[in-house]
Amino acid sequence: MLGKIVLVIYVLIQTGISILTEYVIQKNRLYKNIGKKTRVLRIVIYTLLALIPVLGAFLPKSGFKFFCMGFGNVWLGFFMFYSTFVILSAIITHIVCRVSKDKEMKALGHAINVAFVLGLIFTSYGLVHAQNPKVVNYDITVNKETENIKELKVVLIADLHLSVNSDIRATEKMVEEVNAQNPDVIVIAGDIFTSNYEGLKNPEKYSKELSKMQAKYGVYAVCGNHDVDENLFSGFSISPISEAYRTSDMDKFFEDAGFTVLYDENVEIADGEVVLSGRVDGEKAGDGTNKRKSAKDLLSSVDKTKPVLVLQHEPIEFKNLAESGADVVMCGHTHNGQIFPGNLVIPFFNENAYGVKKLYGIDTIVTAGVGHYGPPIRVGTNSEVTVINIKFD
């Protein structure tokens, strides 16, 4: 049902923008000479481009499906910028023409040129920018004494979103940045994949590269809501939770990459002086359900005289975790909005949408992630390797 709703909305948006595009083109001085003759060609090209993401979502698994997914994601990124700029250009031109009393609105013909060029510029920039992770450092203090360690350097990464638009060079850069921090422990806050495994070309290259990450106390991970096999359309899941399963290929990938994946489990690190708890995702557990242990049940058995670090995908349930004994909670999921103005919107829906924030007496850290979801683009945000320097006092 959700897939049908999203499809209808998508068709309506595409139709509306195509009508606006044709209207603006008619105001261009070249329309009489070229525009009329190329109308059918434009409609065909536009329809084919709009159809590609649909094919990527609804076709059975094949090389062509994954091609459509990858190209469709880039097209959706461009379409997002183009549609925004063509609407803004049309509105601004309309206002200017009304003020200048130019009833023919001849200047409107330039809106299509402005929107197209700006769309290309922002898409190109976003594609390149998304492949270059930045390092962000945070310093926090946990008011618990430890015997032999006074500090712990944690490298937090999340949202690799390995899939049809992944580039091994970006993964290599990320691994290089991670190892350059000389971390005590590396933690991965889920969404290692983007709802499929087969769409990732040469997965063994990625697992081999990720296995190069080195930390004194190891590499730990939890799964996110996209570490399952399911169909996506325009970024929305169109498969029911009951069909969202983690595959054996994904599990083998984690093993080959050297990840210790925590499924509602607690481990002691730093020679037993620090507790690390890893939570199953609360939206899609990977077994066709959304069931996971409550914060209280997960932490009931841990030694709370020791620092308790919790790793989970989505930045939620901070109050429950604080009441259950957590000292630090590390998350991903939000991408810091990924594309402006998303980073201005997500704080309205999350207690902590990005960065470090003290909530309910505990430190919560949300990383922007190193990958991208949907369009392989970042504008206004960075791909990020997050370094958390924890002092124990």
Side-chain angles (χ1 to χ4, degrees), residues 48-334:
L48 289 175
L49 288 172
L51 185 61
I52 287 176
V54 180
L55 296 176
F58 293 99
L59 283 176
K61 289 181 180 178
S62 66
F64 182 64
K65 172 189 176 72
F66 296 128
F67 167 79
C68 290
M69 289 175 62
F71 186 85
N73 285 337
V74 178
W75 154 250
L76 287 172
F78 170 78
F79 176 77
M80 178 182 61
F81 290 123
Y82 168 77
S83 58
T84 299
F85 289 128
V86 77
I87 291 171
L88 289 175
S89 297
I91 292 173
I92 293 171
T93 303
H94 179 73
I95 293 173
V96 171
C97 290
R98 289 293 294 271
V99 171
S100 63
K101 297 181 181 181
D102 182 359
K103 295 181 180 180
E104 296 184 8
M105 295 197 341
K106 296 178 181 178
L108 185 59
H110 297 297
I112 190 74
N113 303 325
V114 172
F116 185 79
V117 171
L118 289 177
L120 285 178
I121 291 173
F122 275 78
T123 301
S124 300
Y125 165 77
L127 287 168
V128 174
H129 183 61
Q131 305 300 316
N132 295 281
K134 310 297 181 184
V135 177
V136 176
N137 283 270
Y138 299 120
D139 298 317
I140 62 174
T141 299
V142 174
N143 295 318
K144 288 184 177 178
E145 292 186 2
T146 51
E147 291 185 11
N148 299 312
I149 63 168
K150 296 301 179 183
E151 296 181 349
L152 187 73
K153 178 179 281 190
V154 180
V155 167
L156 168 65
I157 58 176
D159 303 290
L160 281 68
H161 282 288
L162 300 177
S163 188
V164 293
N165 294 111
S166 295
D167 187 334
I168 189 63
R169 291 171 295 181
T171 301
E172 291 169 350
K173 291 178 183 178
M174 182 203 73
V175 171
E176 183 179 344
E177 290 288 7
V178 168
N179 287 338
Q181 309 312 311
N182 192 26
D184 293 317
V185 63
I186 299 168
V187 294
I188 306 171
D191 275 4
I192 297 162
F193 294 101
T194 305
S195 300
N196 68 77
Y197 176 84
E198 293 92 335
L200 179 64
K201 292 182 179 180
N202 302 314
E204 64 281 353
K205 288 186 177 181
Y206 289 85
S207 60
K208 182 178 180 180
E209 188 62 32
L210 290 169
S211 70
K212 296 177 182 179
M213 292 192 299
Q214 300 294 320
K216 185 176 181 180
Y217 302 120
V219 181
Y220 294 87
V222 296
C223 292
N225 57 306
H226 288 293
D227 290 317
V228 294
D229 189 58
E230 62 180 349
N231 277 331
L232 299 176
F233 177 56
S234 296
F236 293 91
S237 172
I238 56 176
S239 299
I241 291 177
S242 61
E243 296 178 7
Y245 281 82
R246 194 154 28 257
T247 67
S248 58
D249 287 329
M250 292 179 179
D251 290 330
K252 185 178 185 303
F253 182 96
F254 299 152
E255 182 180 349
D256 291 344
F259 301 164
T260 299
V261 184
L262 302 176
Y263 298 103
D264 280 344
E265 297 175 84
N266 306 302
V267 295
E268 291 185 346
I269 61 173
D271 300 324
E273 295 201 57
V274 177
V275 175
L276 175 63
S277 297
R279 303 193 74 188
V280 168
D281 184 68
E283 182 180 344
K284 294 169 187 169
D287 60 358
T289 74
N290 59 359
K291 296 178 181 178
R292 68 174 174 184
K293 287 184 180 180
S294 67
K296 182 178 179 181
D297 288 342
L298 176 63
L299 300 179
S300 61
S301 62
V302 305
D303 183 353
K304 297 181 181 64
T305 64
K306 299 178 179 180
V308 179
L309 315 182
V310 176
L311 179 66
Q312 64 178 15
H313 180 58
E314 296 188 39
I316 58 176
E317 298 185 4
F318 292 134
K319 184 177 181 180
N320 291 339
L321 288 165
E323 292 174 347
S324 300
D327 297 299
V328 179
V329 182
M330 302 170 289
C331 314
H333 184 65
T334 68

Side-chain angles (χ1 to χ4, degrees), residues 15-28 31 35-36 38-44 46 82 86 108-109 112:
T15 302
I17 294 300
S18 65
I19 291 173
L20 177 60
T21 297
E22 282 300 309
Y23 175 71
V24 172
I25 287 175
Q26 290 179 23
K27 298 296 180 179
N28 195 295
Y31 178 75
K36 288 183 179 180
T38 60
R39 177 184 291 179
V40 174
L41 179 61
R42 289 199 307 273
I43 292 174
V44 170
Y46 190 93
Y82 168 77
V86 77
L108 185 59
I112 190 74

